[in-house]
Amino acid sequence: MSARSTAQLFAVLAAGDALAGATALPATAAPRSPIAFGTIQYDSPGKDDGSQRSLDAEWVTISNTGRSSVNLKGWTLSDRSHHVYTFGGFTLGGHASVRVHTGIGRNSRGDVYQYRRAYVWNNTGDTATLRDNHSHVVMTRSWGRR
């Protein structure tokens, strides 16, 4: 083998070792979101009569456990039956919470409304899923029968 061929072979082997070493490194985990579910009131108090008061008493609390504000624009909240609420231009402040009500109302810093005329969350069992604006699941919470 010529000196040039030997040098090329060593260069290829060294590159292979470097590549193997790079692929053997542990993957870094994605940073955890400071956004979390708080209380979910899936069974509004009293009789489920479909009234505006009853629909507004069905809600999901989303909390920001971090110090910095998080822009929730484009984030979605959905149930097992694929009812989807998409946040508009909404920023959740640090250490703040917002209730996402099923019914109709006036949005504020602490309350937003899905503007639905029927219940979303099943009393006997359901799953709430929150996705970011890239459709990545941030969290899920289930209750009752699966």
Short mmCIF file of all heavy atoms in Angstrom, two decimals, residues 43-86:
data_model
loop_
_atom_site.label_atom_id
_atom_site.label_comp_id
_atom_site.label_asym_id
_atom_site.label_seq_id
_atom_site.Cartn_x
_atom_site.Cartn_y
_atom_site.Cartn_z
N ASP A 43 -67.68 18.47 34.89
CA ASP A 43 -69.08 18.28 35.26
C ASP A 43 -69.54 19.55 35.95
O ASP A 43 -69.29 19.75 37.13
CB ASP A 43 -69.22 17.06 36.17
CG ASP A 43 -70.67 16.72 36.49
OD1 ASP A 43 -71.58 17.37 35.93
OD2 ASP A 43 -70.89 15.81 37.31
N SER A 44 -70.20 20.42 35.18
CA SER A 44 -70.63 21.68 35.79
C SER A 44 -71.60 21.41 36.93
O SER A 44 -72.38 20.46 36.88
CB SER A 44 -71.26 22.59 34.73
OG SER A 44 -72.33 21.95 34.08
N PRO A 45 -71.55 22.23 37.98
CA PRO A 45 -72.41 22.02 39.15
C PRO A 45 -73.89 22.08 38.77
O PRO A 45 -74.29 22.80 37.86
CB PRO A 45 -72.05 23.17 40.08
CG PRO A 45 -70.75 23.68 39.59
CD PRO A 45 -70.68 23.38 38.13
N GLY A 46 -74.69 21.32 39.48
CA GLY A 46 -76.13 21.32 39.23
C GLY A 46 -76.50 20.43 38.06
O GLY A 46 -75.73 19.57 37.62
N LYS A 47 -77.69 20.66 37.55
CA LYS A 47 -78.21 19.86 36.45
C LYS A 47 -77.60 20.31 35.12
O LYS A 47 -77.50 21.52 34.87
CB LYS A 47 -79.73 20.00 36.41
CG LYS A 47 -80.39 19.12 35.40
CD LYS A 47 -81.90 19.25 35.45
CE LYS A 47 -82.49 18.35 34.39
NZ LYS A 47 -83.92 18.47 34.29
N ASP A 48 -77.21 19.36 34.30
CA ASP A 48 -76.70 19.68 32.95
C ASP A 48 -77.89 19.99 32.05
O ASP A 48 -78.39 19.13 31.32
CB ASP A 48 -75.88 18.52 32.39
CG ASP A 48 -74.53 18.36 33.07
OD1 ASP A 48 -74.11 19.28 33.78
OD2 ASP A 48 -73.90 17.31 32.87
N ASP A 49 -78.35 21.24 32.12
CA ASP A 49 -79.55 21.62 31.37
C ASP A 49 -79.24 22.35 30.07
O ASP A 49 -80.13 22.80 29.37
CB ASP A 49 -80.47 22.46 32.26
CG ASP A 49 -79.80 23.74 32.76
OD1 ASP A 49 -78.67 24.06 32.33
OD2 ASP A 49 -80.43 24.41 33.60
N GLY A 50 -77.95 22.50 29.74
CA GLY A 50 -77.57 23.16 28.49
C GLY A 50 -77.68 24.67 28.53
O GLY A 50 -77.46 25.33 27.51
N SER A 51 -77.99 25.23 29.70
CA SER A 51 -78.09 26.68 29.80
C SER A 51 -76.71 27.32 29.68
O SER A 51 -75.67 26.66 29.86
CB SER A 51 -78.71 27.08 31.15
OG SER A 51 -77.82 26.77 32.21
N GLN A 52 -76.70 28.60 29.38
CA GLN A 52 -75.43 29.32 29.27
C GLN A 52 -74.66 29.26 30.58
O GLN A 52 -73.44 29.06 30.58
CB GLN A 52 -75.68 30.77 28.88
CG GLN A 52 -74.45 31.47 28.38
CD GLN A 52 -73.82 30.74 27.21
OE1 GLN A 52 -74.44 30.49 26.19
NE2 GLN A 52 -72.57 30.38 27.36
N ARG A 53 -75.34 29.39 31.69
CA ARG A 53 -74.69 29.32 33.00
C ARG A 53 -74.03 27.95 33.19
O ARG A 53 -72.90 27.87 33.67
CB ARG A 53 -75.71 29.58 34.10
CG ARG A 53 -75.13 29.36 35.48
CD ARG A 53 -76.13 29.67 36.54
NE ARG A 53 -75.85 31.04 36.94
CZ ARG A 53 -76.62 31.79 37.66
NH1 ARG A 53 -77.78 31.34 38.07
NH2 ARG A 53 -76.26 33.00 37.99
N SER A 54 -74.73 26.89 32.82
CA SER A 54 -74.19 25.54 32.98
C SER A 54 -72.99 25.31 32.05
O SER A 54 -71.98 24.74 32.45
CB SER A 54 -75.28 24.51 32.70
OG SER A 54 -74.80 23.19 32.91
N LEU A 55 -73.10 25.77 30.81
CA LEU A 55 -71.98 25.62 29.86
C LEU A 55 -70.75 26.41 30.31
O LEU A 55 -69.62 25.94 30.18
CB LEU A 55 -72.40 26.07 28.46
CG LEU A 55 -73.39 25.17 27.74
CD1 LEU A 55 -73.93 25.86 26.49
CD2 LEU A 55 -72.74 23.84 27.39
N ASP A 56 -70.98 27.59 30.86
CA ASP A 56 -69.85 28.41 31.32
C ASP A 56 -69.19 27.83 32.57
O ASP A 56 -68.05 28.16 32.88
CB ASP A 56 -70.31 29.84 31.60
CG ASP A 56 -70.57 30.62 30.33
OD1 ASP A 56 -70.16 30.15 29.25
OD2 ASP A 56 -71.19 31.69 30.41
N ALA A 57 -69.92 26.95 33.29
CA ALA A 57 -69.37 26.33 34.49
C ALA A 57 -68.59 25.05 34.17
O ALA A 57 -68.11 24.37 35.06
CB ALA A 57 -70.48 26.03 35.49
N GLU A 58 -68.45 24.73 32.89
CA GLU A 58 -67.59 23.63 32.44
C GLU A 58 -66.32 24.29 31.89
O GLU A 58 -66.40 25.10 30.97
CB GLU A 58 -68.31 22.83 31.34
CG GLU A 58 -67.52 21.66 30.82
CD GLU A 58 -68.24 20.92 29.71
OE1 GLU A 58 -68.16 21.38 28.55
OE2 GLU A 58 -68.86 19.89 30.00
N TRP A 59 -65.16 23.97 32.48
CA TRP A 59 -63.94 24.66 32.08
C TRP A 59 -62.68 23.83 32.38
O TRP A 59 -62.71 22.89 33.16
CB TRP A 59 -63.82 26.02 32.73
CG TRP A 59 -64.20 26.12 34.17
CD1 TRP A 59 -65.38 26.60 34.66
CD2 TRP A 59 -63.44 25.73 35.32
NE1 TRP A 59 -65.39 26.53 36.03
CE2 TRP A 59 -64.21 26.01 36.47
CE3 TRP A 59 -62.19 25.17 35.49
CZ2 TRP A 59 -63.78 25.75 37.77
CZ3 TRP A 59 -61.73 24.91 36.79
CH2 TRP A 59 -62.53 25.20 37.90
N VAL A 60 -61.61 24.27 31.74
CA VAL A 60 -60.28 23.71 31.95
C VAL A 60 -59.36 24.86 32.32
O VAL A 60 -59.38 25.90 31.67
CB VAL A 60 -59.75 23.04 30.66
CG1 VAL A 60 -58.31 22.59 30.81
CG2 VAL A 60 -60.64 21.88 30.23
N THR A 61 -58.58 24.68 33.39
CA THR A 61 -57.62 25.70 33.79
C THR A 61 -56.25 25.35 33.21
O THR A 61 -55.79 24.22 33.35
CB THR A 61 -57.51 25.80 35.32
OG1 THR A 61 -58.80 26.05 35.86
CG2 THR A 61 -56.56 26.91 35.73
N ILE A 62 -55.63 26.32 32.58
CA ILE A 62 -54.27 26.17 32.06
C ILE A 62 -53.41 27.18 32.81
O ILE A 62 -53.75 28.37 32.88
CB ILE A 62 -54.22 26.41 30.55
CG1 ILE A 62 -55.10 25.35 29.85
CG2 ILE A 62 -52.79 26.37 30.03
CD1 ILE A 62 -55.27 25.56 28.38
N SER A 63 -52.32 26.69 33.39
CA SER A 63 -51.45 27.54 34.22
C SER A 63 -50.05 27.63 33.65
O SER A 63 -49.55 26.68 33.06
CB SER A 63 -51.38 26.95 35.64
OG SER A 63 -52.65 26.91 36.22
N ASN A 64 -49.44 28.77 33.87
CA ASN A 64 -48.04 28.99 33.52
C ASN A 64 -47.26 28.97 34.82
O ASN A 64 -47.38 29.89 35.63
CB ASN A 64 -47.88 30.33 32.79
CG ASN A 64 -46.45 30.61 32.40
OD1 ASN A 64 -45.53 29.89 32.76
ND2 ASN A 64 -46.26 31.69 31.66
N THR A 65 -46.48 27.93 35.03
CA THR A 65 -45.71 27.80 36.27
C THR A 65 -44.38 28.53 36.21
O THR A 65 -43.67 28.60 37.21
CB THR A 65 -45.45 26.31 36.60
OG1 THR A 65 -44.68 25.74 35.54
CG2 THR A 65 -46.77 25.55 36.75
N GLY A 66 -44.05 29.07 35.05
CA GLY A 66 -42.78 29.78 34.89
C GLY A 66 -42.91 31.27 35.16
O GLY A 66 -44.00 31.80 35.38
N ARG A 67 -41.78 31.95 35.14
CA ARG A 67 -41.75 33.40 35.38
C ARG A 67 -42.08 34.21 34.13
O ARG A 67 -42.62 35.29 34.21
CB ARG A 67 -40.37 33.81 35.87
CG ARG A 67 -40.13 33.48 37.30
CD ARG A 67 -38.85 34.10 37.77
NE ARG A 67 -38.00 33.02 38.27
CZ ARG A 67 -36.77 33.14 38.60
NH1 ARG A 67 -36.15 34.28 38.46
NH2 ARG A 67 -36.10 32.12 39.07
N SER A 68 -41.71 33.67 32.97
CA SER A 68 -41.89 34.41 31.72
C SER A 68 -43.26 34.14 31.10
O SER A 68 -43.82 33.05 31.24
CB SER A 68 -40.82 34.00 30.71
OG SER A 68 -39.54 34.26 31.23
N SER A 69 -43.77 35.12 30.39
CA SER A 69 -45.03 34.97 29.67
C SER A 69 -44.86 33.97 28.53
O SER A 69 -43.76 33.82 27.98
CB SER A 69 -45.46 36.31 29.08
OG SER A 69 -45.73 37.22 30.12
N VAL A 70 -45.95 33.29 28.18
CA VAL A 70 -45.94 32.34 27.07
C VAL A 70 -47.06 32.73 26.11
O VAL A 70 -48.21 32.87 26.52
CB VAL A 70 -46.14 30.89 27.56
CG1 VAL A 70 -46.23 29.92 26.38
CG2 VAL A 70 -45.00 30.47 28.49
N ASN A 71 -46.71 32.91 24.84
CA ASN A 71 -47.69 33.24 23.81
C ASN A 71 -48.40 31.94 23.41
O ASN A 71 -47.78 31.02 22.89
CB ASN A 71 -46.99 33.87 22.61
CG ASN A 71 -47.96 34.33 21.55
OD1 ASN A 71 -49.15 34.04 21.61
ND2 ASN A 71 -47.44 35.05 20.58
N LEU A 72 -49.70 31.86 23.65
CA LEU A 72 -50.47 30.66 23.33
C LEU A 72 -51.17 30.74 21.98
O LEU A 72 -51.96 29.87 21.63
CB LEU A 72 -51.52 30.40 24.42
CG LEU A 72 -51.00 30.13 25.83
CD1 LEU A 72 -52.16 29.86 26.79
CD2 LEU A 72 -50.01 28.99 25.85
N LYS A 73 -50.87 31.76 21.19
CA LYS A 73 -51.51 31.90 19.88
C LYS A 73 -51.26 30.64 19.04
O LYS A 73 -50.12 30.20 18.88
CB LYS A 73 -50.97 33.11 19.14
CG LYS A 73 -51.66 33.32 17.81
CD LYS A 73 -51.20 34.54 17.09
CE LYS A 73 -52.00 34.69 15.81
NZ LYS A 73 -51.63 35.89 15.09
N GLY A 74 -52.35 30.05 18.56
CA GLY A 74 -52.26 28.85 17.73
C GLY A 74 -52.24 27.56 18.52
O GLY A 74 -52.30 26.48 17.94
N TRP A 75 -52.15 27.61 19.85
CA TRP A 75 -52.21 26.41 20.67
C TRP A 75 -53.65 25.89 20.65
O TRP A 75 -54.59 26.66 20.47
CB TRP A 75 -51.80 26.71 22.11
CG TRP A 75 -50.34 26.96 22.31
CD1 TRP A 75 -49.52 27.75 21.55
CD2 TRP A 75 -49.53 26.46 23.37
NE1 TRP A 75 -48.26 27.77 22.08
CE2 TRP A 75 -48.23 26.98 23.19
CE3 TRP A 75 -49.77 25.63 24.45
CZ2 TRP A 75 -47.18 26.68 24.05
CZ3 TRP A 75 -48.73 25.33 25.32
CH2 TRP A 75 -47.45 25.85 25.10
N THR A 76 -53.81 24.58 20.81
CA THR A 76 -55.14 23.99 20.79
C THR A 76 -55.41 23.16 22.04
O THR A 76 -54.50 22.55 22.60
CB THR A 76 -55.34 23.09 19.55
OG1 THR A 76 -54.39 22.02 19.57
CG2 THR A 76 -55.22 23.89 18.26
N LEU A 77 -56.67 23.16 22.43
CA LEU A 77 -57.17 22.34 23.53
C LEU A 77 -58.26 21.46 22.93
O LEU A 77 -59.19 21.98 22.30
CB LEU A 77 -57.74 23.22 24.63
CG LEU A 77 -58.42 22.52 25.81
CD1 LEU A 77 -57.41 21.65 26.58
CD2 LEU A 77 -59.07 23.54 26.73
N SER A 78 -58.14 20.15 23.07
CA SER A 78 -59.11 19.25 22.46
C SER A 78 -59.50 18.14 23.42
O SER A 78 -58.82 17.85 24.40
CB SER A 78 -58.55 18.65 21.17
OG SER A 78 -57.38 17.90 21.44
N ASP A 79 -60.62 17.50 23.08
CA ASP A 79 -61.10 16.35 23.85
C ASP A 79 -60.99 15.10 22.99
O ASP A 79 -60.52 15.15 21.85
CB ASP A 79 -62.54 16.57 24.33
CG ASP A 79 -63.57 16.49 23.22
OD1 ASP A 79 -63.21 16.65 22.04
OD2 ASP A 79 -64.75 16.28 23.53
N ARG A 80 -61.39 13.98 23.55
CA ARG A 80 -61.29 12.69 22.86
C ARG A 80 -62.17 12.65 21.60
O ARG A 80 -61.87 11.92 20.66
CB ARG A 80 -61.69 11.57 23.81
CG ARG A 80 -60.97 10.28 23.54
CD ARG A 80 -61.40 9.17 24.46
NE ARG A 80 -60.91 9.35 25.81
CZ ARG A 80 -61.52 8.88 26.89
NH1 ARG A 80 -62.64 8.22 26.80
NH2 ARG A 80 -61.00 9.08 28.08
N SER A 81 -63.25 13.42 21.57
CA SER A 81 -64.15 13.45 20.42
C SER A 81 -63.73 14.47 19.36
O SER A 81 -64.49 14.76 18.44
CB SER A 81 -65.58 13.75 20.88
OG SER A 81 -66.05 12.74 21.73
N HIS A 82 -62.57 15.04 19.52
CA HIS A 82 -61.97 15.98 18.56
C HIS A 82 -62.68 17.34 18.50
O HIS A 82 -62.65 18.00 17.47
CB HIS A 82 -61.87 15.36 17.16
CG HIS A 82 -61.15 14.05 17.16
ND1 HIS A 82 -59.81 13.93 17.40
CD2 HIS A 82 -61.63 12.79 17.01
CE1 HIS A 82 -59.48 12.65 17.38
NE2 HIS A 82 -60.55 11.93 17.14
N HIS A 83 -63.30 17.76 19.61
CA HIS A 83 -63.72 19.15 19.71
C HIS A 83 -62.44 19.94 19.96
O HIS A 83 -61.68 19.60 20.86
CB HIS A 83 -64.68 19.36 20.89
CG HIS A 83 -65.96 18.62 20.77
ND1 HIS A 83 -66.20 17.44 21.44
CD2 HIS A 83 -67.07 18.91 20.06
CE1 HIS A 83 -67.42 17.03 21.16
NE2 HIS A 83 -67.98 17.89 20.32
N VAL A 84 -62.19 20.95 19.17
CA VAL A 84 -60.92 21.68 19.27
C VAL A 84 -61.18 23.16 19.49
O VAL A 84 -61.96 23.78 18.76
CB VAL A 84 -60.07 21.49 17.99
CG1 VAL A 84 -58.77 22.30 18.08
CG2 VAL A 84 -59.78 20.02 17.74
N TYR A 85 -60.52 23.71 20.49
CA TYR A 85 -60.50 25.15 20.72
C TYR A 85 -59.10 25.63 20.38
O TYR A 85 -58.11 25.07 20.86
CB TYR A 85 -60.82 25.49 22.18
CG TYR A 85 -60.57 26.95 22.51
CD1 TYR A 85 -61.44 27.93 22.06
CD2 TYR A 85 -59.45 27.33 23.22
CE1 TYR A 85 -61.21 29.27 22.33
CE2 TYR A 85 -59.20 28.66 23.50
CZ TYR A 85 -60.08 29.62 23.05
OH TYR A 85 -59.84 30.96 23.31
N THR A 86 -59.00 26.66 19.55
CA THR A 86 -57.69 27.23 19.19
C THR A 86 -57.57 28.61 19.81
O THR A 86 -58.45 29.47 19.63
CB THR A 86 -57.56 27.34 17.65
OG1 THR A 86 -57.74 26.03 17.08
CG2 THR A 86 -56.19 27.87 17.26
#
